Structures are given as C-alpha cells and as structure tokens.
Amino acid sequence: MGGPTSAPFGTASPSPTPTALTPTALTSTVSPTPTPTVSTPAVRKPRLPRVKPPQRPEPKPTATKRRPPPAPARTRRPPAPARIVHPGSFCSPPGAVGRTRSGTRMVCGSRGGDRARWRSG
C-alpha cells in the first residue's frame, strides 16, 4: 500500500510541473486568422409605434342645468256649481246655461222679440 495512488492524507504526491508560457510562446501557439472584410449594409430593426395603455374612460361631468319642474298632472276640474234657475223667469245674457233644482238643463233665450227667459234646452 505504499504506491502513489494510496497516499494517506497530508502527504504530498508528485504532480507534473507547470510549463511556463512566455510571450513568444503564446504568439507562436496561436496563429491569428485573417477575418474577411465583407461590407454588409447596416440593417436597422423597424421601430414599432408606441402603444399607449388603454385608459379608463373618465366620466363626463354632469351638467348643472336644473330641469324644469314637471308639469302638474292634468285633472278634470269639477264642474262649476250649476246656477240654480227657475223656469220662465227673466235672465241675461242670452245663451247662459243653468239648472233647475231637479237637474233639468235650462238656457237663457228669447222668442218673438220679448225679454229673455229661462227655457228648457
């Protein structure tokens, strides 16, 4: 067990000596190869247009106009209280309308040139 492969830890084993490289040795071992000079036109990459990131639509400002108030709902007016008239009594103006106590419709009018009186109509 005493060979170079079975050396115990801590003992030096023979190693190959490094060869010293001199500047002349470097240039002699590496021969420069001439690079061909080919002129190629410079190719530029096309620039892509800048795209803005999508923006959230801003809410439109609300108008400060006041809306007109809604029109009042149309309701039927109750009929004007009927004028209570007595048949045959004088009246004016001709064409006026009235009602008797029993609800009969009467119209003020004249016949034959006399004064206007309430008549059924």
Side-chain angles (χ1 to χ4, degrees):
M1 279 225 203
T5 58
S6 62
F9 286 113
T11 61
S13 66
S15 63
T17 59
T19 55
L21 296 176
T22 61
T24 57
L26 286 176
T27 57
S28 65
T29 58
V30 177
S31 63
T33 58
T35 57
T37 56
V38 178
S39 63
T40 57
V43 178
R44 289 188 175 181
K45 291 183 181 178
R47 286 192 175 184
L48 297 175
R50 287 189 174 188
V51 178
K52 292 183 180 179
Q55 295 179 351
R56 293 183 191 161
E58 294 184 21
K60 293 182 180 179
T62 56
T64 56
K65 290 182 183 177
R66 288 189 177 179
R67 291 184 178 175
R74 289 190 169 217
T75 58
R76 292 188 127 201
R77 274 196 273 169
R83 186 172 170 190
I84 303 296
V85 297
H86 300 282
S89 60
F90 297 114
C91 64
S92 74
V97 178
R99 299 225 178 236
T100 63
R101 289 203 185 273
S102 62
T104 306
R105 183 173 186 256
M106 305 295 279
V107 179
C108 180
S110 65
R111 289 190 190 156
D114 60 340
R115 286 177 63 181
R117 296 182 181 258
W118 290 110
R119 303 180 195 272
S120 65

